[in-house]
Every structure is written in C-alpha cells, then in structure tokens.
Amino acid sequence: MSKQKFIPYKPVNIDATESLYKSEIYFNWLDKRRSIREFSSKPVSKEVIENILKSASTAPSGAHKQPWSFCAISNPEIKGEIRKAAEEEEYENYHSRMSDVWLKDLKPFETNWEKPFLEIAPWLIVVFSRSYDMDDLGKKLNNYYVKESVGLACGMLLTAIHNAGLCALTHTPSPMNFLSNILNRPKNERPFLLIPVGYPADNCMVPDLQRKPLELISEWYE
Ligand code: IYR
C-alpha cells in the first residue's frame, strides 16, 4: 500500500480583529446570494466557468475521492433537448405527481412546469455524483460519503458563482435520468443537480424571503 506524503500546512495568518471583520463582511456578502428564475442571455466566458468548477472541486470529500463530475453546457441544441425533457417531467409533476401539500408549499414561489431559463441562461452546469470510480482495467473503486461530498462541492460551486457576480438556480427536475442519456454519462454517475448559470434578466424579481435568525438555527453549549 502506498504511503501518503505529508507537507507543511501554510495557514492564512490573520489576527482576531481581522477575523471578526472578515467574517461579518463575508456574511453580508453571502447573504446577498439569491436563487433566480429569470436569466439574461448575456454570455459568460468559458474561463469564468472553468474557475468556478475548479473552486467547487476544492471541496472536502470522503477519502479525498472527489466523487463528482461537472458537465458545463453552452451548446444551444443540447440546452434545448434538456429543456424539452425537463419540461416533460415537470408537466407530469405539477399535474399529477406532486401532492396538494407540496403544490401549496410552492405556491409563494410561483413556479410551474415551464423552464425557459434552461435555454436562456448561457450555461447549464449539471453536477453528477459518482457512486464508484473505475480504474484503467475497469475494476470498481469505492467512493465514500458521496452525497455529503457532492453536496459540499455544490455549496462551494454556488459561492463561486456568486463571487463571480453571477446567479444560479439549483434545479432538480424529477426524475433526472434524462440528463444521463442526453449527456451520455457513464453508468457510475447519477445526476445530482441541474444549475443554470448567468446574469439576472433586467428587472429580475425574486420572492421576498427571510432567512431564519441565528436563534432558530443554532444551539450553544459553552
Ligand atoms: N422541481 C420542480 C418543483 C420544485 C420543487 C421544489 I422542493 C422547489 O423548491 C422548487 C420547485 C420545479 O423546479 O419547478
């Protein structure tokens, strides 16, 4: 068994005052992130998307297996195919598969089965989780904590998108197998999230949501 090499960790040295300042600035900036459903077709360069994907792939993962693949799609025909397939599933969801309670919970968001943003946004990023990997001889290699790892990578992806001045929507048309077929993905990969990325449309509106205050999301044991 090969032995992992260790190297010195190079800390980002900041003092307590700067730490407090930076943590507050960061929260205020991150709090501005919103999911949007109205995108502009204004192009976004491939280089920006490359940096965003590299940022997402800095996420921690079980045994550092990095069990994710990101498909970045700007091709209009493929976006069209994805929109058509997503809308077919969503039509069924909204008309028969979703419960009345679910539909009621979604009412404030004014969503429906139509997904024009899948063609309008300049990029679609489809995140796949890899339940296992394959070596050169086709032997299965284990991955661990796959959902946790890919969830973390997606969180970092969304932050990187926000940092680049762009917006996203974490979209989960269900079921999502059509993405594996359209993108011709290998059988060890499962679609995890479909994320349109771009600039917001002029006059883009978002629901007036409030985030839970700290008291409701934390318990302290000091
Ligand atoms: N996937 C559907 C429905 C939907 C479900 C949830 I939970 C949302 O937060 C938003 C939408 C759609 O995208 O319309």
Side-chain angles (χ1 to χ4, degrees):
M1 205 179 22
S2 67
K3 192 173 179 313
Q4 179 64 54
K5 185 170 149 250
F6 275 66
I7 53 169
Y9 173 63
K10 299 266 189 316
V12 184
N13 278 317
I14 54 171
D15 64 22
T17 311
E18 199 183 347
S19 187
L20 177 58
Y21 173 76
K22 282 185 63 122
S23 61
E24 190 183 336
I25 298 281
Y26 184 75
F27 162 64
N28 287 326
W29 166 80
L30 198 53
D31 198 29
K32 291 195 171 71
R33 187 204 58 78
R34 293 299 309 265
S35 295
I36 64 158
R37 290 187 166 77
E38 293 165 353
F39 284 84
S40 154
S41 58
K42 184 177 164 184
V44 171
S45 78
K46 182 174 178 180
E47 289 74 18
V48 170
I49 301 298
E50 285 174 346
N51 286 332
I52 286 169
L53 298 186
K54 286 195 283 182
S55 300
S57 203
T58 66
S61 60
H64 190 55
K65 295 287 186 174
Q66 299 184 257
W68 44 69
S69 297
F70 302 97
C71 294
I73 302 139
S74 62
N75 179 298
E77 284 78 40
I78 302 177
K79 288 199 290 181
E81 269 188 77
I82 290 177
R83 175 183 177 182
K84 186 169 173 288
E87 287 184 337
E88 276 168 21
E89 295 297 355
E90 293 291 20
Y91 186 91
E92 291 305 318
N93 289 335
Y94 279 89
H95 289 89
S96 59
R97 295 199 285 231
M98 281 149 78
S99 66
D100 289 345
V101 178
W102 193 350
L103 289 170
K104 192 165 151 281
D105 278 341
L106 281 180
K107 206 145 186 126
F109 303 95
E110 296 183 5
T111 58
N112 63 35
W113 63 273
E114 288 175 294
K115 307 296 174 193
F117 52 76
L118 292 174
E119 285 188 286
I120 297 169
W123 289 95
L124 303 178
I125 297 177
V126 186
V127 184
F128 287 88
S129 63
R130 301 166 72 102
S131 41
Y132 58 92
D133 270 306
M134 215 95 86
D135 72 8
D136 293 343
L137 301 170
K139 183 172 161 260
K140 280 189 185 180
L141 304 170
N142 289 348
N143 287 335
Y144 308 94
Y145 298 101
V146 170
K147 283 197 172 142
E148 291 83 347
S149 303
V150 181
L152 287 162
C154 287
M156 297 181 79
L157 180 80
L158 294 179
T159 331
I161 290 167
H162 182 53
N163 181 56
L166 301 171
C167 289
L169 176 70
T170 42
H171 183 38
T172 51
S174 171
M176 285 200 281
N177 343 353
F178 65 86
L179 291 167
S180 305
N181 300 332
I182 293 173
L183 300 171
N184 202 15
R185 300 311 299 166
K187 63 180 188 316
N188 59 325
E189 291 191 359
R190 297 269 166 283
F192 191 81
L193 276 181
L194 167 53
I195 307 178
V197 180
Y199 291 97
D202 291 342
N203 311 315
C204 170
M205 303 287 279
V206 292
D208 186 14
L209 305 179
Q210 303 307 316
R211 293 192 161 106
K212 287 181 182 174
L214 189 60
E215 302 75 63
L216 288 183
I217 58 149
S218 60
E219 295 289 339
W220 299 77
Y221 303 83
E222 293 177 90

